[in-house]
Amino acid sequence: MKFEQIGADGSTGMRSRAIAEEVPVAIECNGLGYAVLMASPGDLLDLGYGFALTERLIDRADDMLDAEVHAVEHGMLLRLTLSPRVADRLSDRIRHRTADSSCGLCGIESLEQALRPLPARQRRWAGEDHAVFVALEALEAAQPLGAATHAVHAAAACAADGTIRRVREDVGRHNAFDKLIGGMLREGMGWDDGFALLTSRCSYELVEKAVLSDCPMLATISAPTALALARAGEAGLALRVLARPDSLLRPVA
């Protein structure tokens, strides 16, 4: 797209820039409307698998019987078919989502759902912090969409030594992580004592996604929230935050 560039000195000129796409993605599970996300239109099957896992609708890849992406008039439709083994979870989650617009006890129930207990991690991070710096150095070259637009987040699966194994990009930080988690799930790829590196702040939602995907350690380039720190502590998830080329922060009790 073309823009008029205006300088601080009053100079003007024309400039072309690549623009990131952002479209509504409607997620339908077993024929029921579940959510609408604003997302980048690539890797949507990965998004479906990762979203279903981190929403606790599925536990493993074979809980997803089918996943289809359809272009519709105003965006994209992501149609998921969950196995009978987990189908009851869907109706329960939709009931709580519907209650979000209610009041009284329904509201209290929704708050409890928002902060459901996280599974305690059995495997603890045993890697070296130097690996985060190795991954940071390589991350920019692994973000083609980010390099072109400077308007998207990236989520990277990194080996224990910092080698970047997989990257997914999206206009939303949550979507990028779900795409990464879903892509790994579809490939049967584990974290293998590695870690996740995200180009975002460390929010409690991202902590929960890391825990639910069995990630040993989550590193982010921006700061954490207090709730993210608390939730990570409860679940035993290692965090490295404000990761920069020359330093990072490791939360201590």
Side-chain angles (χ1 to χ4, degrees):
M1 183 172 178
K2 292 186 180 299
F3 293 86
E4 182 181 18
Q5 181 170 317
I6 303 172
D9 60 358
S11 62
T12 62
M14 298 303 296
R15 181 176 179 183
S16 295
R17 284 191 61 92
I19 302 299
E21 292 187 68
E22 185 175 21
V23 301
V25 178
I27 298 179
E28 179 185 284
C29 299
N30 289 10
L32 300 174
Y34 189 84
V36 177
L37 310 176
M38 297 303 297
S40 301
D43 300 311
L44 291 183
L45 288 179
D46 291 344
L47 176 63
Y49 274 76
F51 181 84
L53 181 75
T54 60
E55 278 284 295
R56 311 193 201 198
L57 297 176
I58 65 173
D59 300 317
R60 53 185 190 250
D62 61 9
D63 287 333
M64 188 80 75
L65 299 185
D66 193 23
E68 300 175 341
V69 176
H70 302 275
V72 293
E73 184 178 359
H74 298 295
M76 305 296 291
L77 173 62
L78 183 51
R79 183 169 286 151
L80 309 178
T81 304
L82 311 185
S83 75
R85 189 185 79 83
V86 295
D88 287 346
R89 301 181 190 180
L90 179 61
S91 57
D92 185 57
R93 289 292 290 147
I94 287 178
R95 178 172 64 84
H96 286 296
R97 280 177 170 267
T98 302
D100 287 346
S101 61
S102 302
C103 58
L105 292 177
C106 289
I108 293 172
E109 196 173 11
S110 295
L111 290 173
E112 291 173 348
Q113 282 289 306
L115 295 175
R116 287 174 291 170
L118 290 170
R121 289 201 44 74
Q122 301 301 314
R123 181 173 49 188
R124 301 300 174 119
W125 166 250
E128 300 290 336
D129 289 337
H130 177 69
V132 179
F133 299 116
V134 172
L136 278 170
E137 186 175 0
L139 184 59
E140 184 174 356
Q143 299 177 73
L145 189 57
T149 66
H150 300 282
V152 298
H153 283 289
C158 308
D161 64 358
T163 301
I164 293 180
R165 304 167 66 199
R166 297 287 187 282
V167 175
R168 292 293 184 270
E169 298 180 274
D170 196 277
V171 290
R173 63 186 188 275
H174 305 101
N175 299 336
F177 201 14
D178 275 341
K179 285 180 176 181
L180 177 68
I181 291 167
M184 294 172 67
L185 185 64
R186 293 177 67 203
E187 293 183 46
M189 174 181 160
W191 290 100
D192 300 334
D193 300 318
F195 60 95
L197 174 61
L198 309 183
T199 62
S200 67
R201 65 183 174 89
C202 183
S203 66
Y204 88 93
E205 302 101 325
L206 297 176
V207 164
E208 292 193 349
K209 291 178 188 297
V211 173
L212 293 168
S213 69
D214 202 31
C215 180
M217 191 269 277
L218 174 62
T220 67
I221 67 170
S222 293
T225 66
L227 184 56
L229 292 172
R231 296 287 272 173
E234 292 167 8
L237 173 69
L239 294 179
R240 300 294 185 269
V241 298
L242 283 168
R244 299 288 189 269
D246 59 347
S247 68
L248 56 78
L249 298 183
R250 177 175 62 86
V252 295

